[in-house]
Amino acid sequence: MTSSKTQYNVALRGDAMLTSSRWNKGTAFTMAERKAFGLTGRLPYRVNTLDEQCQRAYDQLQARDSPLRKNSFLQSLKNQNWVLYFALLSRHLSELVPVIYTPTEADAIASYSHLFRRSEGLYLTFPDQDTMEQDFLEQIKGRSIDLIVCSDAEAILGIGDQGVGGIGISAAKAVIYTLIGGIDPSRALAVTLDVGTNNEELLDDNLYVGWPNKRISGEQYDQFIDKFVQLVRKYFPHCLLHFEDFGVTNAQRILERYRDTHSVFNDDIQGTGAVTLSCVMSAIGITKTKLCDQRFIIYGAGSAGLGITKQLRDAMVATDGTPEEEANAKFWLIDKHGLIRQGTPSVREDLRAFIRSDEEWTSFTGEVGLLDTVKQVKPTVLIGCSTHAGAFTEEVVKTMAAHCERPIILPLSNPSRLVEVNPGDANEWTGGKALLATGSPFPPAKMPNGKDYIIAECNNALIYPGLGFGAMLCQSRKMTDTMIIAGARRLASLSPALKDPDDALLPDFGDAPQVNFEVAVAVAEQGIEEGSAGVDWSKEEVRAKAKAKLWEPVYAEYVYDKDGEV
């Protein structure tokens, strides 16, 4: 664990020290360090504490009058001083994560070429693929890497294809891994896979900084992705490779292709599925039922919807011993064509296990909508990941509640303006019976007895940094379903609702670092138990090993050494 007693031998001096985001302390360099590194005349006299620097930076941040300007300020701070950047974020976690990540980061990515000041991470571009290995080696020279986050930017944060701007989401995810998961930022690498863009606005923009070409596909695309993955496997066989915001036609396919040969993770599929599983586990802990007792309607059958479905299905198989085919029959998936059944046109291959028989719906001649499905299925769980605002109407919610003592309703679409139902309305329409969680923050809802019902935020950041840290910690060669389920079960066990059924289904986001630490421990313990780990520890050693591995944003002591780190 990095602490104030940690000492590093550093080879940089003068301006090189002050312009290194990893080593710079700004006005916090001690007098001894200023003399040793040639900084005495480059800094004003007084030595500040990290707390004083955070106060100054926070005051400067508050002077910015919009979330996007705050995002830009924080990006600049990150480029100057990692410790100060992460220390400031950690002191104002709930307030600032929406600024550096969703929803504000989407605006920053959409404006990437116009806001561009300084490159970050690794840009791998299709026309330069012949030099990909050389470019990769230049970036990682002298570095040990535990985490690589990559995106091809086809499906960015609900705003679609953003081309080279995808580096923004890769970098933001890496930041969350450090901020909430405790990953050393010097051991993380953000990558954008620039395979072109089909976004006409970008292609017509003379300031666009990416490859101004239509997005490649098919065999060319697969070969490019594979060349990158094989470089990761060759040079960092134990690192976690995190896929982010790939399009629906590629996300699941790429995950399945590599998940048995490397530790890969797709947050849109597995992270969303895992945190939703935790939420449902918490809810059924209140209803005193099992996963296999539920009837699930999943409204939205894209990467997130399918990821949620498969995660719930796999957990049902693993925890309840339900045969997979029987577990598949517990799900009704709805997309833009209505209920996915045999007569639905152009069903994706990865959805075929969940196609409903037309014989179940002989009374319907056209598409089967959400309300029709609710009336016939009488679901116990209704999950929305459609970005179809208001889809869970009063009639839908009341129809569900009429057949279910404690309906579990999870409108998860982001941002909040696209949520399927306002949780306050769902709470009112069910007379306070609904168990609720959303994908974005919402204020508490009023119960009939006047008590506030805390709406849990089903935020991937409550679990994916811990899932990743756990896999990195035990050096697993793959992220197994059972490791993910172990992490989800640990998160569910921390639910405030298990102590008070009218409390939130998931812990508060402000507790995300502590929660993710527990998730990481559970994941690493499972990896060791099942033999997936690459370490020879016992399960009893995991917690201490995890604590020792955590990176914290505090200043270390530096000693000048011409042969030291740079």
Side-chain angles (χ1 to χ4, degrees):
M1 180 184 296
T2 301
S3 72
S4 57
K5 295 182 180 179
T6 303
Q7 179 178 296
Y8 288 100
N9 292 354
V10 184
L12 302 179
R13 283 181 59 82
D15 287 341
M17 191 70 162
L18 294 176
T19 56
S20 168
S21 54
R22 180 182 182 186
W23 302 115
N24 183 27
K25 295 184 183 182
T27 56
F29 279 108
T30 66
M31 289 300 185
E33 288 171 334
R34 295 177 186 209
K35 291 178 181 178
F37 291 95
L39 302 176
T40 304
R42 288 180 167 89
L43 291 168
Y45 178 78
R46 186 176 168 200
V47 176
N48 284 129
T49 65
L50 181 56
D51 283 338
E52 289 169 340
Q53 288 183 313
C54 284
Q55 179 184 340
R56 179 189 297 124
Y58 187 70
D59 290 343
Q60 293 170 355
L61 178 70
Q62 294 304 98
R64 272 64 182 177
D65 58 4
S66 71
L68 189 57
R69 291 192 68 200
K70 291 178 189 289
N71 176 285
S72 181
F73 171 83
L74 289 169
Q75 179 66 31
S76 177
L77 184 61
K78 185 174 88 166
N79 290 336
Q80 297 171 47
N81 183 332
W82 281 352
V83 170
L84 177 54
Y85 170 76
F86 285 108
L88 177 64
L89 294 179
S90 66
R91 285 159 169 76
H92 305 277
L93 187 68
S94 296
E95 176 187 352
L96 296 185
V97 164
V99 176
I100 63 163
Y101 187 47
T102 182
T104 309
E105 185 61 20
D107 294 332
I109 291 170
S111 305
Y112 181 76
S113 292
H114 290 259
L115 296 175
F116 185 87
R117 293 176 183 171
R118 178 179 174 179
S119 61
E120 61 177 326
L122 175 61
Y123 302 78
L124 297 177
T125 309
F126 181 75
D128 294 332
Q129 60 182 306
D130 289 345
T131 62
M132 184 189 291
E133 183 164 14
Q134 177 184 332
D135 297 338
F136 185 81
L137 291 175
E138 282 288 340
Q139 182 69 260
I140 65 169
K141 187 184 300 181
R143 298 177 63 184
S144 296
I145 301 293
D146 293 328
L147 169 70
I148 295 176
V149 184
C150 70
S151 178
D152 76 347
E154 187 175 4
I156 294 288
L157 292 174
I159 60 172
D161 187 342
Q162 297 299 319
V164 77
I167 192 66
I169 193 61
S170 296
K173 283 286 186 177
V175 164
I176 299 295
Y177 268 109
T178 293
L179 181 64
I180 294 175
I183 308 303
D184 185 339
S186 71
R187 301 176 70 92
L189 176 65
V191 178
T192 188
L193 300 169
D194 186 356
V195 293
T197 178
N198 293 335
N199 185 328
E200 293 294 341
E201 289 186 14
L202 296 181
L203 293 174
D204 293 339
D205 185 352
N206 67 330
L207 293 182
Y208 179 59
V209 295
W211 181 42
N213 198 82
K214 286 288 188 180
R215 185 173 285 270
I216 62 166
S217 59
E219 187 175 345
Q220 283 186 314
Y221 175 88
D222 287 348
Q223 289 177 348
F224 183 78
I225 298 297
D226 188 64
K227 188 169 187 176
F228 165 68
V229 174
Q230 298 312 325
L231 284 176
V232 174
R233 294 187 63 209
K234 177 179 178 180
Y235 292 102
F236 300 111
H238 293 292
C239 87
L240 177 72
L241 177 55
H242 177 124
F243 295 115
E244 183 67 25
D245 285 352
F246 282 71
V248 67
T249 57
N250 291 319
Q252 185 73 41
R253 189 173 61 83
I254 291 172
L255 178 64
E256 294 298 331
R257 179 174 183 179
Y258 297 109
R259 65 179 307 180
D260 290 330
T261 56
H262 192 83
S263 183
V264 298
F265 180 73
N266 185 306
D267 187 41
D268 307 296
I269 297 172
Q270 294 163 297
T272 302
V275 73
T276 307
L277 170 60
S278 295
C279 208
V280 173
M281 283 179 163
S282 172
I284 65 176
I286 295 169
T287 61
K288 308 300 182 187
T289 56
K290 297 179 179 180
L291 280 172
C292 63
D293 296 331
Q294 313 309 313
R295 295 179 300 281
F296 297 89
I297 291 181
I298 312 294
Y299 187 70
S303 295
L306 181 60
I308 288 168
T309 301
K310 287 190 171 183
Q311 196 67 72
L312 290 165
R313 186 270 314 275
D314 292 345
M316 199 183 298
V317 172
T319 61
D320 296 340
T322 309
E324 185 171 306
E325 188 172 347
E326 183 180 328
N328 288 342
K330 303 285 185 180
F331 296 88
W332 287 260
L333 275 62
I334 298 175
D335 69 2
K336 62 184 178 182
H337 300 294
L339 178 69
I340 295 176
R341 52 192 180 125
Q342 289 170 331
T344 302
S346 305
V347 177
R348 300 196 318 271
E349 185 63 33
D350 53 11
L351 294 172
R352 294 201 172 276
F354 304 100
I355 294 176
R356 306 303 305 195
S357 167
D358 282 338
E359 295 174 3
E360 302 173 21
W361 304 90
T362 52
S363 59
F364 295 87
T365 54
E367 71 177 39
V368 180
L370 174 59
L371 181 59
D372 300 323
T373 309
V374 170
K375 286 179 177 178
Q376 181 152 321
V377 171
K378 299 179 176 60
T380 59
V381 183
L382 177 60
I383 298 173
C385 38
S386 64
T387 66
H388 180 185
F392 297 173
T393 63
E394 183 174 357
E395 187 176 6
V396 166
V397 171
K398 286 186 172 180
T399 300
M400 179 184 181
H403 302 285
C404 184
E405 181 60 31
R406 297 298 305 267
I408 302 167
I409 302 177
L410 311 178
L412 303 181
S413 288
N414 281 313
S416 55
R417 60 184 172 79
L418 300 179
V419 73
E420 287 80 7
V421 63
N422 184 296
D425 291 337
N427 179 72
E428 180 183 341
W429 296 337
T430 61
K433 295 195 307 179
L435 296 167
L436 296 159
T438 54
S440 298
F442 277 89
K446 282 292 181 185
M447 301 290 284
N449 61 9
K451 181 180 177 182
D452 280 345
Y453 177 67
I454 306 300
I455 307 299
E457 185 181 349
C458 197
N459 189 322
N460 294 24
L462 280 173
I463 195 167
Y464 83 78
L467 294 175
F469 182 31
M472 294 177 231
L473 182 66
C474 73
Q475 296 184 20
S476 174
R477 285 297 186 116
K478 58 183 179 179
M479 175 82 82
T480 65
D481 290 334
T482 43
M483 290 165 68
I484 294 173
I485 292 170
R489 186 182 289 117
R490 182 65 59 89
L491 174 57
S493 74
L494 301 173
S495 166
L498 297 181
K499 296 179 180 178
D500 177 355
D502 291 333
D503 209 336
L505 291 175
L506 292 173
D508 184 84
F509 185 74
D511 297 324
Q514 297 84 0
V515 168
N516 274 279
F517 179 81
E518 293 300 324
V519 169
V521 170
V523 168
E525 287 175 344
Q526 177 64 30
I528 289 170
E529 182 176 322
E530 69 186 34
S532 302
V535 296
D536 57 359
W537 313 331
S538 67
K539 286 174 60 177
E540 290 70 29
E541 295 178 89
V542 169
R543 185 170 294 274
K545 296 286 188 182
K547 285 183 178 179
K549 186 77 170 177
L550 282 176
W551 184 88
E552 292 186 330
V554 292
Y555 289 128
E557 178 186 347
Y558 300 158
V559 175
Y560 178 70
D561 181 351
K562 62 181 179 62
D563 297 318
E565 297 188 61
V566 296

